[in-house]
C-alpha cells in the first residue's frame, strides 16, 4: 500500500487541470458536468460533458459549476472534483493532500467553499494558492527574490494581475473579465452587426482562429455558421480578424485599465524591476493574437507570453506542493494574510 500522492488542482472556470506530484499534469478537462435532471444522476464530467453543451435533450443538462472564478454550484463542483480526483488517484486507502488554486480577489466565504468542496471530494487536507502566484511559479519566475515581477493571468472567468516580490503579492487586481467575457462579446457583436445568433462554442472557435486584439499584418477571415435573426434560418457569414478586434474592444479595455491601475499603485523600486524584467502573460486568454503586443504598446514595458501559458497555473500549483510543509492549513501563505493577522 503506497501513501497517496499530493495533488495540485487548477480549479478554473473553463477547465480543471490536475497535477500529481512526481508525474506532472495528468488531467486537463473542461469544467463541465452533465446530469440527468429527473434523477439527479451525474452522467458525464469534463470533455465528454462539454460535447453536450448547447446540444442536450430536455432531461439532460450540461452545467458549468464555476462562474467568474468562483463556485456557483457547490454540489456540482464537489461532485466534479471527486470524479477528477478519483480519475487520477484511483481508489486509495490514503486520502491525498490537495492544493487548489483560487483567484486573488476571492472572499473568505468563497475560499471556505473551495476548501470544503475539496474535503468533501476526498482530500485529507486542502491548501490554497493564489492564481497569479501559481502562474508566476509555473512561468519559471523565482518569486522568492526581492525582485519585482508582474504577471497577467487571463483565464476563463477572471483576469488576475499581480506584482510579486519576496514570495508575496505586493499589489494586485482581480477582475471578472476574461476568456468567457471575450466569447460573450463575440456573441453580442455577431447579433448586433450581422443579425446572426451564434452559440458560445462557435464564439470560442472564432476567438481561437481569427480573434485578435492588435492589428494583424495580414487580415484573416472565417466563415461562421449561425441562425439568422431575421429569417430564423441557418446562415453563413464571413467574419474578419479586424471585426474581432472591434468585438473585443470593451472587455480588452477593462483588462488594460486593470493592468494600468496595478502599475500605478506599485512602489517605484518595483516598477523599475518590472520595466527590466518585463510583464509575463499566462492563461488561455493571453493566447488571443496580439495580446502581448497590445500590452507592450500601452505600457511601454516589454511583454511576453509564458511558454505553455495554459498550464502555468497548474504547473505552479504543482511545484508549490514541495513547500506544503511551510503552508498553514487551508490558507495561502501570502502577503494578504500576513497583513490581516
Amino acid at each position: 500500500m503506497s501513501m497517496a500522492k499530493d495533488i495540485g488542482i487548477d480549479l478554473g472556470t473553463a477547465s480543471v487541470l490536475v497535477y500529481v506530484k512526481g508525474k506532472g499534469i495528468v488531467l486537463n478537462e473542461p469544467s463541465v458536468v452533465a446530469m440527468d435532471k429527473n434523477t439527479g444522476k451525474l452522467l458525464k464530467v469534463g470533455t465528454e460533458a462539454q460535447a453536450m453543451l448547447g446540444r442536450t435533450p430536455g432531461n439532460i443538462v450540461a452545467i458549468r459549476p464555476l462562474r467568474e472564478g468562483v463556485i456557483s454550484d457547490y454540489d456540482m463542483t464537489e461532485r466534479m472534483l471527486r470524479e477528477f480526483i478519483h480519475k487520477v488517484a484511483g481508489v486509495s486507502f490514503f486520502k491525498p493532500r490537495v492544493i487548489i488554486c483560487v483567484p486573488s480577489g476571492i472572499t473568505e466565504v468563497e475560499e471556505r467553499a473551495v476548501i470544503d468542496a475539496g474535503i468533501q471530494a476526498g482530500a485529507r487536507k486542502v491548501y490554497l494558492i493564489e492564481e497569479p502566484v501559481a502562474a508566476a511559479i509555473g512561468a519559471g519566475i523565482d518569486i522568492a527574490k526581492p525582485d519585482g515581477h508582474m504577471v497577467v493571468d487571463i483565464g476563463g472567468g477572471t483576469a488576475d494581475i499581480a506584482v510579486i516580490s519576496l514570495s508575496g503579492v505586493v499589489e494586485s487586481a482581480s477582475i471578472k473579465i476574461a476568456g468567457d467575457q471575450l466569447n460573450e462579446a463575440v456573441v453580442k457583436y455577431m447579433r448586433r452587426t450581422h443579425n446572426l445568433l451564434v452559440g458560445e462554442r462557435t464564439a470560442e472557435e472564432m476567438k481561437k482562429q481569427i480573434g485578435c486584439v492588435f492589428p494583424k499584418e495580414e487580415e484573416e477571415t472565417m466563415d461562421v455558421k449561425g441562425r439568422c435573426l431575421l429569417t430564423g434560418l441557418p446562415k453563413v457569414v464571413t467574419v474578419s480578424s479586424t471585426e474581432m478586434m472591434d468585438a473585443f474592444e470593451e472587455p480588452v479595455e477593462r483588462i488594460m485599465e486593470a493592468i494600468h491601475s496595478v502599475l500605478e499603485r506599485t512602489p517605484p523600486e518595483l516598477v523599475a524591476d518590472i520595466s527590466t524584467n518585463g510583464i509575463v502573460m499566462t492563461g488561455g486568454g493571453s493566447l488571443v493574437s496580439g495580446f502581448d503586443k497590445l500590452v507592450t504598446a500601452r505600457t511601454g514595458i516589454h511583454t511576453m507570453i509564458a511558454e505553455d501559458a495554459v498550464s502555468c497555473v497548474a504547473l505552479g500549483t504543482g511545484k508549490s506542493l514541495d513547500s506544503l510543509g511551510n503552508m498553514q492549513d487551508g490558507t495561502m501563505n501570502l502577503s494578504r494574510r500576513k497583513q490581516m493577522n
Side-chain angles (χ1 to χ4, degrees):
M1 209 52 183
S2 66
M3 279 295 282
K5 291 254 197 269
D6 291 336
I7 295 178
I9 300 176
D10 171 10
L11 182 61
T13 311
S15 40
V16 176
L17 283 79
V18 181
Y19 182 107
V20 174
K21 196 166 177 175
K23 287 188 185 161
I25 295 173
V26 292
L27 180 139
N28 176 355
E29 296 203 25
S31 329
V32 183
V33 178
M35 68 174 280
D36 186 326
K37 253 198 328 222
N38 306 345
T39 62
K41 201 167 148 281
L42 206 64
L43 302 171
K44 297 274 188 241
V45 172
T47 311
E48 294 173 315
Q50 189 190 32
M52 301 180 176
L53 275 180
R55 299 204 162 121
T56 58
N59 63 319
I60 300 175
V61 282
I63 307 162
R64 294 181 59 185
L66 292 115
R67 277 270 165 229
E68 303 183 329
V70 295
I71 296 177
S72 63
D73 183 330
Y74 177 81
D75 180 48
M76 283 300 140
T77 302
E78 182 219 303
R79 287 164 73 174
M80 176 175 79
L81 267 178
R82 177 176 297 152
E83 288 291 314
F84 287 149
I85 290 176
H86 184 92
K87 219 174 191 177
V88 301
V91 191
S92 162
F93 179 68
F94 295 103
K95 293 183 164 186
R97 289 190 301 179
V98 176
I99 183 162
I100 302 178
C101 202
V102 293
S104 55
I106 191 170
T107 66
E108 298 217 342
V109 176
E110 290 161 346
E111 226 165 76
R112 195 69 250 164
V114 174
I115 294 169
D116 291 345
I119 298 285
Q120 292 301 318
R124 177 174 49 160
K125 267 188 184 162
V126 174
Y127 302 85
L128 303 180
I129 181 171
E130 284 174 304
E131 263 160 26
V133 175
I137 298 172
I141 296 171
D142 178 359
I143 63 167
K145 292 200 176 106
D147 185 22
H149 286 274
M150 184 178 222
V151 175
V152 177
D153 175 52
I154 305 175
T158 58
D160 282 274
I161 299 128
V163 173
I164 297 166
S165 176
L166 291 168
S167 301
V169 173
V170 182
E171 266 311 331
S172 68
S174 181
I175 57 171
K176 298 186 171 179
I177 307 260
D180 287 347
Q181 285 64 37
L182 293 178
N183 291 352
E184 277 165 34
V186 172
V187 173
K188 280 185 194 151
Y189 178 86
M190 294 304 291
R191 184 184 290 154
R192 204 173 55 233
T193 327
H194 294 289
N195 282 317
L196 193 74
L197 198 59
V198 296
E200 199 178 325
R201 293 187 57 188
T202 303
E204 170 88 12
E205 275 306 300
M206 291 166 68
K207 175 176 75 179
K208 284 183 173 164
Q209 280 194 33
I210 57 165
C212 69
V213 296
F214 196 79
K216 278 192 169 179
E217 280 157 28
E218 291 204 1
E219 184 153 81
E220 292 179 25
T221 58
M222 174 179 172
D223 288 344
V224 179
K225 294 189 187 81
R227 182 166 73 226
C228 174
L229 286 166
L230 307 174
T231 64
L233 298 171
K235 175 169 122 175
V236 178
V237 172
T238 305
V239 182
S240 71
S241 48
T242 309
E243 286 188 81
M244 295 293 281
M245 261 178 69
D246 293 345
F248 289 149
E249 190 178 7
E250 200 189 341
V252 168
E253 266 317 305
R254 298 275 303 275
I255 294 172
M256 293 311 302
E257 278 164 23
I259 293 174
H260 200 141
S261 78
V262 171
L263 279 169
E264 276 180 340
R265 299 193 306 270
T266 302
E269 298 293 333
L270 292 178
V271 173
D273 290 346
I274 293 165
S275 66
T276 309
N277 295 328
I279 295 172
V280 176
M281 297 186 80
T282 64
S286 68
L287 298 178
V288 176
S289 170
F291 232 134
D292 48 347
K293 295 193 179 89
L294 180 70
V295 178
T296 304
R298 292 288 193 83
T299 59
I301 300 170
H302 174 64
T303 302
M304 53 239 142
I305 292 165
E307 204 180 322
D308 209 355
V310 177
S311 318
C312 277
V313 171
L315 287 171
T317 305
K319 282 186 193 165
S320 65
L321 287 169
D322 299 336
S323 51
L324 272 186
N326 341 336
M327 291 175 96
Q328 310 119 329
D329 284 11
T331 59
M332 300 170 275
N333 193 2
L334 293 175
S335 53
R336 214 157 50 100
R337 292 285 167 276
K338 288 177 196 144
Q339 285 155 9
M340 281 165 54
N341 300 344

